[in-house]
Amino acid sequence: MNRDGLSRTRTYAAGVLALLAFTTACGDNGGGGSAAPAASTAGSAAPQPSGGGGTPTAAATTPGAAPAQGDAAAWAKWNLKPLAPAPAPPADKPIKLERTGTVPVFSDVKTTDKVVFITIDDGAEKDPKFVEMLTDLKVPISMFLTKDIVKNDYGYFKPLQALGNHIQNHTVTHPVMSKIPAEKQKSEICEDQSTLTQQYGTAPLLFRPPFGDGANTPTLNNSVQQCGPRAIVLWRESMQIHDMQYQAGDKKLKSGDIILAHFRGPKELKGATMTQMFADLLARIQEQGFSVARLEDYIQAPPS
Ligand SMILES: [Zn+2]
């Protein structure tokens, strides 16, 4: 894999994407479910890590309110049954992030709310129909974006962000993090952090390693700490083309599960479109009786 940060080409990106398509991408079971304990270093008045900065921009949501949901006609337009509306976000957040120290690693959120969370990675497919779909349905998502995969059109993600969706860190070149040295890990995360902050006006709070690789290693944890994100987020289910791969043996969604999906189009989805994939994802969630909530509504950012 080309690790030269200066000479990547579209060919390389295409190769990465082809690889992703055949390896179920950010890797299904690459994660691990256990959450590392958060370090109890609160109170040490260390400065904010560099690489962050940036003030939150206008999110379209009202704090404390459940994400809005599209009306029945909107769901019918996409041949979908409406999801149950998500409950109001918890006032006491199940996940509380610290400003400094070890960052927690999690693949689900402890909650009794019958909700799951959708995360969408990489950013390769930039289908205008998907923007239309989310504008209609108002299903919350979190986007983990890879600089080299989105840099040909940062603007595509802005209307999705304007719906209240957050943009999070997913490296510059999508490497296997455990195979690169600490300094390179740091540049991968810090450069994505500064670019996304500049492009989208707000610093990512969360990081996802490509393939989930290295998530529980001290080296990667330390690299993340140096760049600004305050948690490492994995997943419990991975959306494929029409169905999900489940880590749980019973192949059922559980309250608080984080679902991984990708910005993918017909080339990666055997002819299916991004909106067809997403409609199938929503149908799988709807038939199991879950709502979709906004992941960031269940996470308390560090005190500023
Ligand atoms: Zn990825």
Side-chain angles (χ1 to χ4, degrees), residues 97-281:
L97 302 181
E98 304 286 352
R99 185 148 42 129
T100 57
T102 305
V103 303
V105 182
F106 57 88
S107 53
D108 56 15
V109 175
K110 300 287 172 270
T111 179
T112 53
D113 292 349
K114 198 144 192 225
V115 299
V116 294
F117 307 97
I118 298 176
T119 61
I120 311 184
D121 282 14
D122 304 349
E125 180 73 359
K126 301 172 184 74
D127 183 350
K129 278 277 177 196
F130 181 64
V131 177
E132 180 185 334
M133 186 183 205
L134 273 203
T135 303
D136 287 344
L137 303 181
K138 300 184 170 57
V139 173
I141 60 169
S142 302
M143 298 173 273
F144 289 79
L145 301 184
T146 298
K147 178 181 175 180
D148 278 4
I149 298 176
V150 301
K151 68 185 180 187
N152 63 354
D153 189 3
Y154 291 115
Y156 173 79
F157 303 92
K158 292 182 180 175
L160 297 174
Q161 181 191 28
L163 292 169
N165 300 309
H166 295 250
I167 287 171
Q168 309 292 3
N169 191 318
H170 195 46
T171 75
V172 173
T173 74
H174 209 274
V176 176
M177 295 299 263
S178 66
K179 298 224 161 87
I180 60 176
E183 274 309 301
K184 178 67 174 163
Q185 287 185 356
K186 192 181 157 194
S187 68
E188 284 279 347
I189 303 166
C190 286
E191 187 184 330
D192 201 45
Q193 188 80 359
S194 58
T195 299
L196 296 178
T197 302
Q198 184 182 18
Q199 288 293 331
Y200 300 106
T202 181
L205 185 61
L206 309 174
F207 172 73
R208 173 171 283 157
F211 319 102
D213 178 74
N216 290 297
T217 65
T219 304
L220 183 60
N221 201 293
N222 188 52
S223 299
V224 173
Q225 290 172 46
Q226 294 184 58
C227 297
R230 292 305 307 156
I232 295 172
V233 179
L234 300 174
W235 59 90
R236 297 295 300 166
E237 287 83 24
S238 170
M239 183 61 189
Q240 307 298 304
I241 301 175
H242 302 294
D243 207 349
M244 280 180 280
Q245 286 188 344
Y246 297 80
Q247 291 173 20
D250 64 4
K251 297 189 187 302
K252 286 182 179 157
L253 292 170
K254 311 286 189 306
S255 291
D257 277 2
I258 296 170
I259 300 170
L260 165 67
H262 292 88
F263 288 94
R264 285 182 179 156
K267 272 187 289 204
E268 297 84 24
L269 299 175
K270 298 185 179 168
T273 62
M274 176 82 188
T275 55
Q276 288 168 336
M277 178 278 290
F278 199 75
D280 282 340
L281 172 57

